[in-house]
Amino acid sequence: MAVYTDITEDDLKRFLTEYEVGELTSYKGIAEGVENSNFLLHTTRDPLILTLYEKRVEKSDLPFFLGLMQHLAARGLSCPLPLPRRDGALLGTLSGRPAALISFLEGMWLRKPEARHCRDVGVALAKMHIAGEGFAMTRPNALSLDGWHTLWEKSEARADEVEKGLQAEIRGELAFLAANWPKDLPAGVIHADLFPDNVFFLGDGLSGLIDFYFACNDLLAYDVSICLNAWCFEKDGSYNMTKGMALLEGYESVRPLSQAEAAALPILSRGSALRFFLTRLYDWLTTPPDALVVKKDPLEYLRKLRFHAAVSSVGEYGLSRP
């Protein structure tokens, strides 16, 4: 469920008068997504996406997110484009929430991606990393090492309710990653949440990337590790070497990983698995039973974390190195 704030037709029509988008003909809420309220609008000109930013998104971060989409689109990356108001601003207010109009991106996300799709994702991710160069604004990754400790503090006392021994295991994992996290790798703007539902395909091709609301500045190879976790594991928890090889080949066809980046993939993948485990764990323990949001199983990412902890060579991800 992704409509937390309702809107009236009259309020929406008044909001649209601040834009050059034509007249409203219809609108409906979009059920997918978990952070913001989203609506599909049809106008006499073009379909649009209206996003109302909810309390989990800091208003001070919005100029970064919206400006980044403008920057990437100007560099040729296929992604939604924020539309300016008549006064030039990208952000307005609707129903008491910060709100933006975003161009509509054709396509659908894949429920069962294949290796060829993973290759396309690798290509698109590398193009995004290159297109992000020169973006003047910066945003630190709030869900990196320090953020993991903050999340863990909120869940640690109840962790063993989810699985016995989890408290001790995660304490050890956090200590290991703090001691071994790479620091001198290439960095830049990363998407940080490029899961299948944030990548659209149309026909046989990738049509664009969406949902940049976790984007930040961090290690580029960390973004690759997030995609390995999101795209290359099967429902039974096994790592699909064919998909991993395709994703990495796609990425390196545009931006080859350095030897240091390749060597760091097991640690980075371990860290990104922990990041999504911790956010899922917190939601699992704190989301009320009657909430409309479907809770995601944190143990899925615990199993991925354990896989990465046992990796002894980047070849196990499908990456060949001399």
PDB file of all heavy atoms in Angstrom, residues 288-312:
ATOM      1  N   PRO A 288       2.748  -2.567  13.270  1.00  0.00           N
ATOM      2  CA  PRO A 288       1.555  -3.140  13.911  1.00  0.00           C
ATOM      3  C   PRO A 288       0.921  -4.231  13.050  1.00  0.00           C
ATOM      4  O   PRO A 288       0.978  -4.167  11.810  1.00  0.00           O
ATOM      5  CB  PRO A 288       0.606  -1.937  14.036  1.00  0.00           C
ATOM      6  CG  PRO A 288       1.490  -0.739  13.947  1.00  0.00           C
ATOM      7  CD  PRO A 288       2.624  -1.120  13.051  1.00  0.00           C
ATOM      8  N   PRO A 289       0.320  -5.239  13.673  1.00  0.00           N
ATOM      9  CA  PRO A 289      -0.280  -6.349  12.917  1.00  0.00           C
ATOM     10  C   PRO A 289      -1.368  -5.913  11.944  1.00  0.00           C
ATOM     11  O   PRO A 289      -1.577  -6.555  10.918  1.00  0.00           O
ATOM     12  CB  PRO A 289      -0.851  -7.254  14.016  1.00  0.00           C
ATOM     13  CG  PRO A 289      -0.081  -6.907  15.252  1.00  0.00           C
ATOM     14  CD  PRO A 289       0.240  -5.452  15.132  1.00  0.00           C
ATOM     15  N   ASP A 290      -2.063  -4.817  12.256  1.00  0.00           N
ATOM     16  CA  ASP A 290      -3.162  -4.375  11.396  1.00  0.00           C
ATOM     17  C   ASP A 290      -2.730  -3.336  10.358  1.00  0.00           C
ATOM     18  O   ASP A 290      -3.567  -2.748   9.672  1.00  0.00           O
ATOM     19  CB  ASP A 290      -4.302  -3.802  12.234  1.00  0.00           C
ATOM     20  CG  ASP A 290      -3.855  -2.613  13.094  1.00  0.00           C
ATOM     21  OD1 ASP A 290      -2.634  -2.375  13.187  1.00  0.00           O
ATOM     22  OD2 ASP A 290      -4.729  -1.941  13.687  1.00  0.00           O
ATOM     23  N   ALA A 291      -1.412  -3.098  10.221  1.00  0.00           N
ATOM     24  CA  ALA A 291      -0.919  -2.118   9.253  1.00  0.00           C
ATOM     25  C   ALA A 291      -1.157  -2.607   7.832  1.00  0.00           C
ATOM     26  O   ALA A 291      -1.178  -3.816   7.563  1.00  0.00           O
ATOM     27  CB  ALA A 291       0.565  -1.859   9.469  1.00  0.00           C
ATOM     28  N   LEU A 292      -1.336  -1.655   6.905  1.00  0.00           N
ATOM     29  CA  LEU A 292      -1.591  -2.007   5.515  1.00  0.00           C
ATOM     30  C   LEU A 292      -0.321  -2.428   4.783  1.00  0.00           C
ATOM     31  O   LEU A 292      -0.380  -3.033   3.718  1.00  0.00           O
ATOM     32  CB  LEU A 292      -2.241  -0.824   4.795  1.00  0.00           C
ATOM     33  CG  LEU A 292      -3.627  -0.421   5.296  1.00  0.00           C
ATOM     34  CD1 LEU A 292      -4.081   0.857   4.603  1.00  0.00           C
ATOM     35  CD2 LEU A 292      -4.629  -1.540   5.055  1.00  0.00           C
ATOM     36  N   VAL A 293       0.848  -2.113   5.332  1.00  0.00           N
ATOM     37  CA  VAL A 293       2.115  -2.463   4.702  1.00  0.00           C
ATOM     38  C   VAL A 293       2.420  -3.939   4.930  1.00  0.00           C
ATOM     39  O   VAL A 293       2.289  -4.453   6.046  1.00  0.00           O
ATOM     40  CB  VAL A 293       3.255  -1.596   5.275  1.00  0.00           C
ATOM     41  CG1 VAL A 293       4.596  -2.030   4.695  1.00  0.00           C
ATOM     42  CG2 VAL A 293       3.004  -0.134   4.967  1.00  0.00           C
ATOM     43  N   VAL A 294       2.813  -4.644   3.872  1.00  0.00           N
ATOM     44  CA  VAL A 294       3.201  -6.045   3.986  1.00  0.00           C
ATOM     45  C   VAL A 294       4.650  -6.111   4.473  1.00  0.00           C
ATOM     46  O   VAL A 294       5.557  -5.587   3.826  1.00  0.00           O
ATOM     47  CB  VAL A 294       3.063  -6.772   2.638  1.00  0.00           C
ATOM     48  CG1 VAL A 294       3.541  -8.210   2.749  1.00  0.00           C
ATOM     49  CG2 VAL A 294       1.620  -6.736   2.161  1.00  0.00           C
ATOM     50  N   LYS A 295       4.860  -6.748   5.608  1.00  0.00           N
ATOM     51  CA  LYS A 295       6.212  -6.855   6.158  1.00  0.00           C
ATOM     52  C   LYS A 295       7.037  -7.861   5.344  1.00  0.00           C
ATOM     53  O   LYS A 295       6.545  -8.908   4.944  1.00  0.00           O
ATOM     54  CB  LYS A 295       6.147  -7.291   7.621  1.00  0.00           C
ATOM     55  CG  LYS A 295       5.470  -6.302   8.536  1.00  0.00           C
ATOM     56  CD  LYS A 295       5.644  -6.674  10.001  1.00  0.00           C
ATOM     57  CE  LYS A 295       4.894  -7.933  10.386  1.00  0.00           C
ATOM     58  NZ  LYS A 295       4.967  -8.190  11.840  1.00  0.00           N
ATOM     59  N   LYS A 296       8.315  -7.528   5.131  1.00  0.00           N
ATOM     60  CA  LYS A 296       9.220  -8.410   4.395  1.00  0.00           C
ATOM     61  C   LYS A 296      10.074  -9.203   5.377  1.00  0.00           C
ATOM     62  O   LYS A 296      10.546  -8.669   6.375  1.00  0.00           O
ATOM     63  CB  LYS A 296      10.102  -7.587   3.457  1.00  0.00           C
ATOM     64  CG  LYS A 296       9.307  -6.861   2.377  1.00  0.00           C
ATOM     65  CD  LYS A 296      10.213  -6.019   1.482  1.00  0.00           C
ATOM     66  CE  LYS A 296       9.403  -5.300   0.414  1.00  0.00           C
ATOM     67  NZ  LYS A 296      10.263  -4.451  -0.447  1.00  0.00           N
ATOM     68  N   ASP A 297      10.279 -10.452   5.075  1.00  0.00           N
ATOM     69  CA  ASP A 297      10.983 -11.370   5.962  1.00  0.00           C
ATOM     70  C   ASP A 297      12.460 -10.986   6.080  1.00  0.00           C
ATOM     71  O   ASP A 297      13.195 -11.044   5.095  1.00  0.00           O
ATOM     72  CB  ASP A 297      10.845 -12.790   5.421  1.00  0.00           C
ATOM     73  CG  ASP A 297      11.511 -13.821   6.326  1.00  0.00           C
ATOM     74  OD1 ASP A 297      11.963 -13.462   7.433  1.00  0.00           O
ATOM     75  OD2 ASP A 297      11.575 -14.997   5.916  1.00  0.00           O
ATOM     76  N   PRO A 298      12.926 -10.610   7.267  1.00  0.00           N
ATOM     77  CA  PRO A 298      14.350 -10.252   7.402  1.00  0.00           C
ATOM     78  C   PRO A 298      15.281 -11.440   7.217  1.00  0.00           C
ATOM     79  O   PRO A 298      16.445 -11.269   6.842  1.00  0.00           O
ATOM     80  CB  PRO A 298      14.433  -9.690   8.825  1.00  0.00           C
ATOM     81  CG  PRO A 298      13.280 -10.306   9.550  1.00  0.00           C
ATOM     82  CD  PRO A 298      12.191 -10.459   8.544  1.00  0.00           C
ATOM     83  N   LEU A 299      14.791 -12.656   7.476  1.00  0.00           N
ATOM     84  CA  LEU A 299      15.662 -13.826   7.398  1.00  0.00           C
ATOM     85  C   LEU A 299      16.120 -14.109   5.969  1.00  0.00           C
ATOM     86  O   LEU A 299      17.150 -14.756   5.764  1.00  0.00           O
ATOM     87  CB  LEU A 299      14.949 -15.048   7.975  1.00  0.00           C
ATOM     88  CG  LEU A 299      14.656 -14.972   9.482  1.00  0.00           C
ATOM     89  CD1 LEU A 299      13.989 -16.251   9.963  1.00  0.00           C
ATOM     90  CD2 LEU A 299      15.930 -14.696  10.276  1.00  0.00           C
ATOM     91  N   GLU A 300      15.386 -13.606   4.965  1.00  0.00           N
ATOM     92  CA  GLU A 300      15.842 -13.750   3.583  1.00  0.00           C
ATOM     93  C   GLU A 300      17.210 -13.112   3.424  1.00  0.00           C
ATOM     94  O   GLU A 300      18.117 -13.676   2.783  1.00  0.00           O
ATOM     95  CB  GLU A 300      14.843 -13.087   2.627  1.00  0.00           C
ATOM     96  CG  GLU A 300      15.309 -13.082   1.176  1.00  0.00           C
ATOM     97  CD  GLU A 300      14.438 -12.247   0.264  1.00  0.00           C
ATOM     98  OE1 GLU A 300      13.332 -11.817   0.678  1.00  0.00           O
ATOM     99  OE2 GLU A 300      14.861 -11.998  -0.890  1.00  0.00           O
ATOM    100  N   TYR A 301      17.398 -11.931   4.025  1.00  0.00           N
ATOM    101  CA  TYR A 301      18.681 -11.243   3.891  1.00  0.00           C
ATOM    102  C   TYR A 301      19.718 -11.749   4.882  1.00  0.00           C
ATOM    103  O   TYR A 301      20.926 -11.603   4.643  1.00  0.00           O
ATOM    104  CB  TYR A 301      18.479  -9.723   3.953  1.00  0.00           C
ATOM    105  CG  TYR A 301      18.265  -9.213   2.546  1.00  0.00           C
ATOM    106  CD1 TYR A 301      17.033  -9.326   1.939  1.00  0.00           C
ATOM    107  CD2 TYR A 301      19.323  -8.732   1.802  1.00  0.00           C
ATOM    108  CE1 TYR A 301      16.842  -8.942   0.626  1.00  0.00           C
ATOM    109  CE2 TYR A 301      19.158  -8.341   0.485  1.00  0.00           C
ATOM    110  CZ  TYR A 301      17.918  -8.450  -0.099  1.00  0.00           C
ATOM    111  OH  TYR A 301      17.760  -8.087  -1.408  1.00  0.00           O
ATOM    112  N   LEU A 302      19.284 -12.374   5.940  1.00  0.00           N
ATOM    113  CA  LEU A 302      20.246 -13.028   6.826  1.00  0.00           C
ATOM    114  C   LEU A 302      20.891 -14.203   6.102  1.00  0.00           C
ATOM    115  O   LEU A 302      22.107 -14.421   6.215  1.00  0.00           O
ATOM    116  CB  LEU A 302      19.557 -13.503   8.099  1.00  0.00           C
ATOM    117  CG  LEU A 302      20.465 -14.174   9.130  1.00  0.00           C
ATOM    118  CD1 LEU A 302      21.490 -13.185   9.673  1.00  0.00           C
ATOM    119  CD2 LEU A 302      19.650 -14.767  10.269  1.00  0.00           C
ATOM    120  N   ARG A 303      20.110 -14.950   5.331  1.00  0.00           N
ATOM    121  CA  ARG A 303      20.669 -16.075   4.572  1.00  0.00           C
ATOM    122  C   ARG A 303      21.651 -15.580   3.513  1.00  0.00           C
ATOM    123  O   ARG A 303      22.695 -16.200   3.272  1.00  0.00           O
ATOM    124  CB  ARG A 303      19.533 -16.881   3.937  1.00  0.00           C
ATOM    125  CG  ARG A 303      18.696 -17.658   4.947  1.00  0.00           C
ATOM    126  CD  ARG A 303      17.715 -18.592   4.279  1.00  0.00           C
ATOM    127  NE  ARG A 303      16.606 -17.881   3.656  1.00  0.00           N
ATOM    128  CZ  ARG A 303      15.467 -17.575   4.270  1.00  0.00           C
ATOM    129  NH1 ARG A 303      15.286 -17.925   5.539  1.00  0.00           N
ATOM    130  NH2 ARG A 303      14.499 -16.945   3.634  1.00  0.00           N
ATOM    131  N   LYS A 304      21.339 -14.456   2.883  1.00  0.00           N
ATOM    132  CA  LYS A 304      22.261 -13.888   1.898  1.00  0.00           C
ATOM    133  C   LYS A 304      23.550 -13.431   2.572  1.00  0.00           C
ATOM    134  O   LYS A 304      24.658 -13.630   2.048  1.00  0.00           O
ATOM    135  CB  LYS A 304      21.597 -12.731   1.163  1.00  0.00           C
ATOM    136  CG  LYS A 304      20.434 -13.159   0.282  1.00  0.00           C
ATOM    137  CD  LYS A 304      19.765 -11.975  -0.403  1.00  0.00           C
ATOM    138  CE  LYS A 304      18.576 -12.445  -1.240  1.00  0.00           C
ATOM    139  NZ  LYS A 304      17.893 -11.348  -1.953  1.00  0.00           N
ATOM    140  N   LEU A 305      23.413 -12.810   3.730  1.00  0.00           N
ATOM    141  CA  LEU A 305      24.594 -12.363   4.483  1.00  0.00           C
ATOM    142  C   LEU A 305      25.507 -13.554   4.780  1.00  0.00           C
ATOM    143  O   LEU A 305      26.735 -13.468   4.610  1.00  0.00           O
ATOM    144  CB  LEU A 305      24.139 -11.684   5.772  1.00  0.00           C
ATOM    145  CG  LEU A 305      25.179 -10.945   6.617  1.00  0.00           C
ATOM    146  CD1 LEU A 305      24.488  -9.912   7.506  1.00  0.00           C
ATOM    147  CD2 LEU A 305      25.958 -11.914   7.505  1.00  0.00           C
ATOM    148  N   ARG A 306      24.910 -14.642   5.203  1.00  0.00           N
ATOM    149  CA  ARG A 306      25.712 -15.831   5.529  1.00  0.00           C
ATOM    150  C   ARG A 306      26.392 -16.396   4.288  1.00  0.00           C
ATOM    151  O   ARG A 306      27.516 -16.895   4.363  1.00  0.00           O
ATOM    152  CB  ARG A 306      24.818 -16.879   6.198  1.00  0.00           C
ATOM    153  CG  ARG A 306      24.382 -16.481   7.607  1.00  0.00           C
ATOM    154  CD  ARG A 306      23.267 -17.382   8.112  1.00  0.00           C
ATOM    155  NE  ARG A 306      22.918 -17.078   9.504  1.00  0.00           N
ATOM    156  CZ  ARG A 306      21.798 -17.515  10.099  1.00  0.00           C
ATOM    157  NH1 ARG A 306      20.936 -18.274   9.414  1.00  0.00           N
ATOM    158  NH2 ARG A 306      21.557 -17.207  11.357  1.00  0.00           N
ATOM    159  N   PHE A 307      25.729 -16.322   3.160  1.00  0.00           N
ATOM    160  CA  PHE A 307      26.355 -16.769   1.911  1.00  0.00           C
ATOM    161  C   PHE A 307      27.607 -15.941   1.639  1.00  0.00           C
ATOM    162  O   PHE A 307      28.680 -16.491   1.365  1.00  0.00           O
ATOM    163  CB  PHE A 307      25.370 -16.634   0.747  1.00  0.00           C
ATOM    164  CG  PHE A 307      26.016 -16.796  -0.612  1.00  0.00           C
ATOM    165  CD1 PHE A 307      26.225 -18.055  -1.151  1.00  0.00           C
ATOM    166  CD2 PHE A 307      26.436 -15.678  -1.341  1.00  0.00           C
ATOM    167  CE1 PHE A 307      26.849 -18.206  -2.395  1.00  0.00           C
ATOM    168  CE2 PHE A 307      27.046 -15.821  -2.578  1.00  0.00           C
ATOM    169  CZ  PHE A 307      27.256 -17.089  -3.112  1.00  0.00           C
ATOM    170  N   HIS A 308      27.483 -14.614   1.712  1.00  0.00           N
ATOM    171  CA  HIS A 308      28.631 -13.755   1.423  1.00  0.00           C
ATOM    172  C   HIS A 308      29.764 -13.970   2.422  1.00  0.00           C
ATOM    173  O   HIS A 308      30.933 -13.881   2.057  1.00  0.00           O
ATOM    174  CB  HIS A 308      28.195 -12.289   1.440  1.00  0.00           C
ATOM    175  CG  HIS A 308      27.170 -11.955   0.394  1.00  0.00           C
ATOM    176  ND1 HIS A 308      27.378 -12.163  -0.951  1.00  0.00           N
ATOM    177  CD2 HIS A 308      25.923 -11.425   0.510  1.00  0.00           C
ATOM    178  CE1 HIS A 308      26.305 -11.778  -1.628  1.00  0.00           C
ATOM    179  NE2 HIS A 308      25.411 -11.319  -0.767  1.00  0.00           N
ATOM    180  N   ALA A 309      29.412 -14.242   3.659  1.00  0.00           N
ATOM    181  CA  ALA A 309      30.444 -14.451   4.685  1.00  0.00           C
ATOM    182  C   ALA A 309      31.285 -15.685   4.384  1.00  0.00           C
ATOM    183  O   ALA A 309      32.437 -15.777   4.826  1.00  0.00           O
ATOM    184  CB  ALA A 309      29.793 -14.571   6.057  1.00  0.00           C
ATOM    185  N   ALA A 310      30.709 -16.617   3.618  1.00  0.00           N
ATOM    186  CA  ALA A 310      31.423 -17.856   3.297  1.00  0.00           C
ATOM    187  C   ALA A 310      32.155 -17.786   1.965  1.00  0.00           C
ATOM    188  O   ALA A 310      32.879 -18.711   1.598  1.00  0.00           O
ATOM    189  CB  ALA A 310      30.433 -19.025   3.276  1.00  0.00           C
ATOM    190  N   VAL A 311      31.984 -16.683   1.218  1.00  0.00           N
ATOM    191  CA  VAL A 311      32.639 -16.546  -0.088  1.00  0.00           C
ATOM    192  C   VAL A 311      34.141 -16.368   0.095  1.00  0.00           C
ATOM    193  O   VAL A 311      34.587 -15.533   0.890  1.00  0.00           O
ATOM    194  CB  VAL A 311      32.040 -15.352  -0.865  1.00  0.00           C
ATOM    195  CG1 VAL A 311      32.923 -14.977  -2.058  1.00  0.00           C
ATOM    196  CG2 VAL A 311      30.631 -15.685  -1.341  1.00  0.00           C
ATOM    197  N   SER A 312      34.922 -17.133  -0.641  1.00  0.00           N
ATOM    198  CA  SER A 312      36.382 -17.032  -0.530  1.00  0.00           C
ATOM    199  C   SER A 312      37.026 -16.403  -1.755  1.00  0.00           C
ATOM    200  O   SER A 312      38.201 -16.042  -1.730  1.00  0.00           O
ATOM    201  CB  SER A 312      36.985 -18.424  -0.311  1.00  0.00           C
ATOM    202  OG  SER A 312      36.643 -19.300  -1.393  1.00  0.00           O
TER     203      SER A 312
END
